[in-house]
């Protein structure tokens, strides 16, 4: 028994739609770039420094004073530091003016 009747697809409809959404408009976006090593002058000649990974107080003092006078930075930041060996990346430390410049 053979069925010679072919399927009828005359009422089948098709369509295509994109999954891509309308592209957003970024024409009014503003940007700002700040350094992770922020050095800012404040009143009295005091600066700030944002601690980076791998920093220690001696290294920071050498950068600002030319010598490893870390105790000066530690004393200025006693409000947030209890141990000079436990500074964390992202902390913003006050850097007092070098001796004789205050």
């Amino acid at each position: 028994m053979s069925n010679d009747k072919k399927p009828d697809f005359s009422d089948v409809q098709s369509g295509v739609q994109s999954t891509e959404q309308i592209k957003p408009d970024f024409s009014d976006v503003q940007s700002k770039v700040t350094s992770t090593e922020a050095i800012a002058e404040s009143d009295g000649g005091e600066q700030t420094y944002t601690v980076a990974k791998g920093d220690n107080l001696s290294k920071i003092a050498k950068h600002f004073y030319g010598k490893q006078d870390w105790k000066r930075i530690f004393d200025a930041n006693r409000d947030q530091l209890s141990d000079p060996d436990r500074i964390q990346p992202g902390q913003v430390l006050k850097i007092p003016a070098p001796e004789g410049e205050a």
Side-chain angles (χ1 to χ4, degrees):
M1 287 194 131
S2 141
N3 189 356
D4 292 331
K5 205 170 192 186
K6 294 185 180 183
D8 179 11
F9 293 107
S10 62
D11 63 346
V12 174
Q13 297 178 358
S14 69
V16 176
Q17 292 181 344
S18 174
T19 57
E20 183 178 10
Q21 297 177 353
I22 297 173
K23 296 189 184 212
D25 177 14
F26 293 108
S27 62
D28 63 343
V29 174
Q30 297 178 359
S31 66
K32 178 181 177 184
V33 176
T34 56
S35 172
T36 57
E37 185 176 357
I39 301 172
E41 288 289 334
S42 63
D43 292 335
E46 189 175 83
Q47 298 177 320
T48 60
Y49 176 80
T50 303
V51 177
K53 186 176 179 179
D55 279 345
N56 59 49
L57 290 181
S58 293
K59 182 178 172 183
I60 296 167
K62 179 96 171 151
H63 173 78
F64 284 96
Y65 306 137
K67 59 183 180 178
Q68 295 179 347
D69 190 8
W70 64 267
K71 189 160 180 9
R72 196 169 165 72
I73 297 172
F74 178 68
D75 289 340
N77 291 280
R78 286 202 179 253
D79 60 326
Q80 61 177 325
L81 299 177
S82 59
D83 183 336
D85 295 323
R86 295 188 178 252
I87 62 173
Q88 299 294 319
Q91 276 184 304
V92 178
L93 302 178
K94 293 174 279 216
I95 308 296
E99 291 178 351
E101 290 187 26

